[in-house]
Amino acid sequence: DVKVTQSSRYLVKRTGEKVFLECVQDMDHENMFWYRQDPGLGLRLIYFSYDVKMKEKGDIPEGYSVSREKKERFSLILESASTNQTSMYLCASSILAGGRKETQYFGPGTRLLVL
Amino acid sequence: EDQVTQSPEALRLQEGESSSLNCSYTVSGLRGLFWYRQDPGKGPEFLFTLYSAGEEKEKERLKATLTKKESFLHITAPKPEDSATYLCAVQALRDQGGKLIFGQGTELSVKP
C-alpha cells in the first residue's frame, strides 16, 4: 500500500512565524504535490515537484515556498504566516508519467491555524 | 479553460436508496478522470481512475462510468458508512507533471 505521511495533524502558529510542513512518501514516487483545501474553494494546487530539487508553481504559490532535497520528502514553507493561510494542507504523491497513468495518493492532512 | 463541476453539492439519502453523483468536465484532451472519497478531517482516499469514454469500474456499492463530457458515480443500496464527500478530478493530456483539476465535491449523507 502507498503511504504518504505528514509531520503534523494539527498546528497552531502566530502571524509572522516561519512554518514548515513536512511530507514523506514510501513508494519511490517521482511526483509530489502540495494542496490547500478550503470550504467552498475545493482543493487548490500550491506547488508540485517531479524530481529531486525540481519544483513548479501551482495555482496559488504566493506566500509559499517548497524544498525537495530527497526523493521521498517534500516540504512546504510558509515564509511569514498570515491568518489567510489558515487552512487544511494536503500532500500527495504519484508515479511519473511516460505512458503510464498516474494516480495521486494523499496524506492525512495538516490543519493549520494562524492566529 | 479546464474545469470540473460536480452536482449536487449535497445529497441526503435513506439507507438503501440508490442514487448517482455527477461530474461534468471540460478539458483539452483527457488523460484520466479520478474519483476520491474524503471523510471529515482526513485526506482524500483514492477510489477509481477512468481513462476513456465507455469505461466502467466497480467497488462494492460504487460504480463509476465515463462519457466524453461527464462521469457518474452510482451508489447502489448505500449504507451510513458511505457518508463522505466524493471528489472528482481530471488530468489533461498536455500535463506531463500529473497535475489534477478538482471539482468542489458532493457531500453525501446516508441516514439509517
Side-chain angles (χ1 to χ4, degrees), chain A:
Chain A
D1 276 353
V2 176
K3 190 167 184 181
V4 180
T5 58
Q6 295 183 228
S7 51
S8 305
R9 292 301 309 275
Y10 302 96
L11 272 180
V12 180
K13 296 293 180 181
R14 298 222 172 260
T15 302
E17 280 192 75
K18 191 169 186 176
V19 182
F20 294 86
L21 303 182
E22 302 283 337
C23 175
V24 177
Q25 49 92 6
D26 67 354
M27 284 303 292
D28 202 35
H29 283 173
E30 289 83 2
N31 301 334
M32 295 189 76
F33 306 82
W34 275 107
Y35 294 88
R36 64 177 284 176
Q37 186 176 31
D38 303 286
L41 296 176
L43 274 85
R44 294 179 291 168
L45 182 64
I46 304 171
Y47 268 97
F48 65 101
S49 168
Y50 51 87
D51 202 352
V52 176
K53 296 191 184 295
M54 303 301 288
K55 61 183 179 184
E56 293 282 344
K57 292 181 180 179
D59 299 318
I60 51 165
E62 295 78 20
Y64 303 94
S65 62
V66 290
S67 172
R68 192 160 181 206
E69 296 296 320
K70 294 185 177 182
K71 189 176 185 180
E72 68 271 17
R73 188 179 298 269
F74 192 34
S75 302
L76 180 69
I77 303 156
L78 285 65
E79 297 291 344
S80 177
S82 63
T83 55
N84 63 13
Q85 293 179 309
T86 291
S87 186
M88 172 72 132
Y89 289 88
L90 291 161
C91 175
S93 73
S94 71
I95 201 163
L96 187 63
R100 300 177 65 176
K101 313 286 187 174
E102 320 91 44
T103 294
Q104 288 188 25
Y105 295 92
F106 284 82
T110 295
R111 190 167 293 280
L112 173 67
L113 173 62
V114 182
L115 300 174

